[in-house]
Amino acid sequence: MKAWGILTAALTGATALVSWSSPAGADATAAPVVIAHYTFDKAKAGDPVTDDSGHGHTLTPSASHGGKVKLRSRAKGHAAAFPARCTGGKCPHAVLQSPDAPELNPGANPIRYGATVKLAKGQTGPGENILQKGYSAAGSQYKLQVDGKPGRPSCVVSDNVAVGIHVALSDVSIADGKWHTLECRRAGATLTLLVDGAVHATTAIPATLSITNTVPLSLGGKGDGTDNDQFHGTLDDVWIALG
């Protein structure tokens, strides 16, 4: 059975419809609760980005070496464009971050998160982080990224108890200069990646894996440092939901 939820961009009146399947035996009316949603539609260049879910997880730009998050027109609003690829020791870096908050840490509970993404073939790299909370090397993490030159998206979760990094890697590339919707779903012992509404990767994870850390939520990279896994494309409709 399917339940339907609507992410509402309160500032614009626009809506993005997201579907999800309820586990067998679950209450089909118990839809996941959106705790963060970024449409960028009312954003202004260089200013903080409002959390359209109403939960107050405002994003603040952080950058180095002249990096900027630029706004691009999309539909009736905006999308956020991150620095293009470059070589050398002083490449521009830029991310958007929101401080840690208890509801951004799902523990072992179900979580879903995703974004609408545009990435050109020439902008791929070894690893580009779209959305992440936490670090795999210290503590725990959930992450959506694009891996390697082929530009295949993946979902990542880890914790410091059930040791190991767990990856659901897509069997298709999204690096074609077109818009694609990506979604990660963690439920119990399963991690699933959806590309444009279809399942393209599933992997088993420990059911006890717990994600709790004090690291900020970050879009576009893990920070503004040199080795920040910078995302080089454009993002829109970024969201996180619990349940």
Side-chain angles (χ1 to χ4, degrees):
M1 300 179 67
K2 283 190 175 181
W4 293 89
I6 295 179
L7 303 180
T8 302
L11 297 180
T12 64
T15 59
L17 189 63
V18 178
S19 67
W20 43 72
S21 298
S22 298
D27 181 359
T29 65
V33 177
V34 177
I35 59 167
H37 181 209
Y38 307 101
T39 65
F40 306 103
D41 289 342
K42 291 296 183 179
K44 296 182 180 180
D47 287 353
V49 178
T50 300
D51 174 8
D52 295 325
S53 76
H55 286 249
H57 302 299
T58 301
L59 296 171
T60 301
S62 181
S64 62
H65 303 303
K68 294 181 180 179
V69 179
K70 300 180 180 180
L71 297 176
R72 302 287 188 235
S73 295
R74 179 173 183 249
K76 296 181 180 180
H78 297 114
F82 292 81
R85 283 194 65 189
C86 91
T87 58
K90 293 186 177 181
C91 288
H93 294 100
V95 297
L96 296 169
Q97 294 185 318
S98 181
D100 173 52
E103 67 178 350
L104 294 174
N105 297 302
N109 298 314
I111 183 172
R112 303 176 186 222
Y113 51 96
T116 303
V117 177
K118 183 179 181 181
L119 182 67
K121 184 177 181 180
Q123 294 298 318
T124 60
E128 300 186 20
N129 295 354
I130 296 170
L131 175 158
Q132 76 178 84
K133 176 77 167 64
Y135 304 120
S136 60
S140 60
Q141 175 188 76
Y142 59 89
K143 178 168 67 169
L144 171 61
Q145 63 183 11
V146 183
D147 288 323
K149 187 175 181 180
R152 296 161 63 191
S154 66
C155 303
V156 180
V157 295
S158 66
D159 76 2
N160 58 358
V161 178
V163 179
I165 300 172
H166 306 276
V167 182
L169 175 63
S170 174
D171 58 358
V172 297
S173 170
I174 61 162
D176 57 7
K178 301 178 181 179
W179 287 101
H180 295 277
T181 59
L182 304 178
E183 180 181 349
C184 298
R185 299 179 180 179
R186 183 270 165 96
T190 304
L191 178 65
T192 304
L193 167 69
L194 290 84
V195 179
D196 297 326
V199 174
H200 278 276
T202 301
T203 191
I205 64 174
T208 57
L209 186 147
S210 181
I211 306 169
T212 302
N213 58 68
T214 59
V215 178
L217 170 67
S218 187
L219 306 188
K222 61 186 178 184
D224 61 10
T226 301
D227 182 22
N228 78 327
D229 294 333
Q230 181 69 58
F231 177 65
H232 300 298
T234 308
L235 299 181
D236 201 359
D237 289 319
V238 183
W239 58 275
I240 301 171
L242 300 181

